[in-house]
Amino acid sequence: MAENPHTQTTTEPAGAPSPAPASGGRRRIVLAGLVLGAAAVAAAVVVGAVYGVGGFGRNASRAACAPAVAAGQRLEPLMRGELAALKPAPEPRALRDLAFTDGSGVPRTLADWQGRTVLLNLWATWCVPCRKEMPALDALQRQLGGPGFEVVAVNVDTRNPEKPRAWLKEVGIDGLAYYADASGKILRELGAFGLPATVLVDSSGCTVATLAGPAEWASPEAVALIRAALAK
């Protein structure tokens, strides 16, 4: 599986233990083992960041979310170019109970978007790829946002809740409504080990496709995919 260099992980690999004094060939064998072990740990973290999002959401009945799985398969030919890392949901997952707050601090869940297609994005101000991606998400919302579709970008900063608001204002992102979860629970619920993380959710609150890492969401490929997702 290809490594995504643009995903910023939320965890770091534990350091390898220091080798005991050794000499000659034994020292080389010990050092080689440690290097391989550290590489395996690092690889595991990278794979977790890029592919550890397969558990997005809760298991749902196949009848309830079967249309979302079918939609992901239908949209797969459009997952190319700027959206090459987007993957169809492999099994039914329900996100209706996913909780966060709006800009006024009012509790919300994705059930509030029942009947609308949602592009759910998790981001943080300390995540450089997230900051680079936000203008494109803002542009997508401006172009396609409406009664049938919304980009729901949820900030997951855990400190200084005013910082993300100030940053959005500073860079001129005002097409997106502000949503946040400072508890980190949303990351655990989605099984996201890296940021940004994005999920395309259908009008029933079921996962259609997932992407770990940034994408150019204002690109022709992205616009075409969202338009196709909205077409019934």
Side-chain angles (χ1 to χ4, degrees), residues 61-232:
S61 70
R62 293 193 175 277
C65 285
V69 175
Q73 296 170 348
R74 174 175 62 85
L75 296 172
E76 188 170 13
L78 299 176
M79 298 176 191
R80 50 184 166 74
E82 294 292 343
L83 295 185
L86 187 67
K87 303 298 179 185
E91 60 185 82
R93 294 281 176 175
L95 298 181
R96 289 181 292 275
D97 296 331
L98 198 68
F100 45 91
T101 61
D102 65 17
S104 300
V106 176
R108 304 290 297 271
T109 70
L110 276 186
D112 296 331
W113 280 261
Q114 183 78 16
R116 303 174 70 186
T117 297
V118 167
L119 189 70
L120 175 71
N121 175 269
L122 304 188
W123 71 283
T125 56
W126 48 260
C127 167
V128 175
C130 299
R131 296 200 304 269
K132 290 181 178 179
E133 180 183 54
M134 291 302 289
L137 288 166
D138 187 62
L140 178 65
Q141 172 64 22
R142 289 176 180 277
Q143 184 171 352
L144 297 182
F149 172 73
E150 182 177 349
V151 176
V152 177
V154 181
N155 177 266
V156 296
D157 282 53
T158 57
R159 300 178 181 178
N160 190 359
E162 294 307 314
K163 182 177 180 179
R165 293 174 184 268
W167 181 82
L168 291 171
K169 183 177 181 180
E170 177 184 341
V171 298
I173 295 176
D174 53 15
L176 298 173
Y178 184 76
Y179 303 103
D181 173 45
S183 71
K185 183 178 180 181
I186 195 170
L187 290 167
R188 297 190 296 273
E189 287 282 319
L190 291 180
F193 297 102
L195 291 176
T198 308
V199 192
L200 180 61
V201 184
D202 76 355
S203 57
S204 297
C206 297
T207 303
V208 174
T210 64
L211 189 152
E216 181 47 67
W217 289 105
S219 67
E221 293 96 333
V223 172
L225 183 134
I226 298 300
R227 288 190 186 279
L230 294 175
K232 303 298 183 182

